């Protein structure tokens, strides 16, 4: 079959800030993807923790088509029915009293950081402006969010950077206790560090953050862009910890593949944003909101979330069995369907090589840094696809150890 559209066009026409795989996916259904040549792949990546209901989900297609017939976009001079329904559903399902919608995770964090600064300014004065975040964290690619993120490689080339941002070691209670002060306006934390290597927060660490923020009148922001929307077996990961944030950011899975982000806040914080304080053209778009409302109504069900936990055990079981046959990993960790496997010392730095081989064998997987293989599949992935995916992974492991 002659292909009119080639992978080489990426290099010819696109800004080279990504390095996509040599094949081009053209069609997908559930947890299966096909490329231009008709080759099939099992999807253990879920569009990087986005496609929570798999690809081309019928209920999402219906929600989108129905909205498409009525209203695509209207702008923020008007509100619309889907966004109101979605806001109500998020408020009724969480700690939050109010929601702000945008289009991505970075924008949700940008809104969270801006509202935290404004809240501190309005309530306490301009001296209270420090933001504390954690080493290895990832919060997005805007200038503010790369600076807040704890990976200097993403911010160092873009100076001058926003100021009064401190990075502290994750899970280190003593260090933050010694550092936090009346100048701190917010602490932002991922309940599981995602991009930075699937590192779980200790329960005691999150509890300490809540206590320290309360003591110092600082806001606690949970970045649940990767951990939210059922990913850990809870609608949001904070529910399991019992630690309630003041602000929570959500994106990725919220739209199940349709771009949308949200910042969830308590009432007293929401009040500091008034008409004109912040905004976006597309945030709260009716198409995105209609899809997200359907996602939420499916995911936020006890049986659905129990299914995520069951699949977690199945993934851990199959991964552990495989690791006994091919001892590539020193640790397998994660919650729900956000899983990481850390390469043994002698294979470190080779996670990308492993996912490249896996793709050749027909399995799409992710990395989380150079040493960690990551899975973030659809939350409704079928047993048959899990089995087939692990069979292909075994082929990849076999080749990886030989090569
Ligand atoms: C925890 C976390 N925060 C923020 C972001 C940024 O989201 P987006 O790429 O939608 O801007 C990501 C994306 O990987 C993420 O994992």
């Amino acid at each position: 079959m002659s292909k009119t559209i080639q992978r080489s066009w990426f290099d010819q026409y696109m800004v080279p800030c990504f390095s996509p795989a040599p094949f081009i996916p053209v069609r997908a259904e559930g947890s299966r993807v096909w490329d231009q040549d008709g080759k099939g792949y099992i999807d253990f990546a879920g569009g990087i923790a986005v496609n929570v209901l798999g690809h081309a989900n019928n209920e999402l297609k219906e929600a989108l088509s129905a909205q498409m017939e009525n209203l695509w976009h209207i702008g923020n001079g008007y509100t619309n029915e889907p966004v109101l329904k979605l806001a109500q559903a998020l408020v009724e399902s969480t700690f939050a009293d109010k929601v702000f919608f945008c289009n991505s995770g970075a924008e949700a964090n940008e809104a969270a950081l801006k509202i935290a600064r404004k809240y501190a300014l309005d309530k306490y004065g301009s001296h209270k402006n420090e933001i504390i975040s954690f080493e290895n964290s990832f919060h997005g690619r805007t200038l503010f969010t790369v600076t807040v993120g704890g990976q200097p490689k993403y911010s160092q080339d873009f100076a001058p950077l926003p100021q009064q941002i401190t990075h502290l070691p994750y899970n280190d209670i003593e260090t933050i206790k010694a550092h936090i002060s009346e100048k701190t306006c917010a602490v932002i934390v991922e309940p599981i560090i995602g991009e930075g290597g699937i590192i779980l927060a200790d329960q005691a660490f999150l509890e300490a953050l809540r206590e320290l923020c309360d003591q110092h009148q600082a806001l606690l922001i949970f970045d649940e862009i990767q951990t939210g929307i059922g990913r850990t077996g809870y609608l949001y990961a904070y529910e399991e910890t019992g630690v309630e944030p003041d602000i929570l950011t959500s994106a990725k899975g919220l739209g199940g593949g349709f771009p949308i982000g949200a910042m969830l806040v308590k009432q007293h914080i929401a009040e500091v944003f008034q008409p004109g304080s912040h905004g976006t053209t597309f945030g709260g778009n009716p198409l995105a909101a209609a899809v997200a409302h359907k996602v939420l109504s499916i995911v936020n069900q006890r049986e659905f979330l129990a299914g995520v936990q069951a699949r977690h055990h199945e993934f851990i079981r199959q991964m552990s069995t495989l690791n006994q046959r091919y001892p590539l990993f020193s640790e397998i960790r994660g919650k729900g369907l956000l899983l990481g496997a850390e390469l043994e010392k002698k294979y470190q730095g080779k996670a990308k090589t492993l996912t490249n081989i896996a793709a050749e064998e027909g399995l799409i997987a992710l990395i989380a840094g150079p040493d960690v293989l990551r899975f973030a599949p659809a939350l409704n992935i079928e047993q048959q696809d899990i089995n087939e995916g692990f069979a292909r992974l075994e082929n990849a492991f076999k080749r990886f150890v030989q090569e």
Side-chain angles (χ1 to χ4, degrees), residues 311-329:
R311 287 170 176 83
H312 167 87
H313 296 300
E314 183 59 16
F315 265 79
I316 295 286
R317 187 185 69 76
Q318 296 222 27
M319 191 64 185
S320 305
T321 308
L322 218 50
N323 201 38
Q324 276 162 13
R325 285 210 282 278
Y326 303 90
L328 297 180
F329 300 101

Side-chain angles (χ1 to χ4, degrees), residues 3-4 9 22 26 75 91 120 131 207 266 380 397:
K3 286 181 272 187
T4 51
W9 290 17
V26 290
V91 165
I131 291 161
E207 285 171 8
K266 302 291 282 182
N380 59 358
F397 283 7

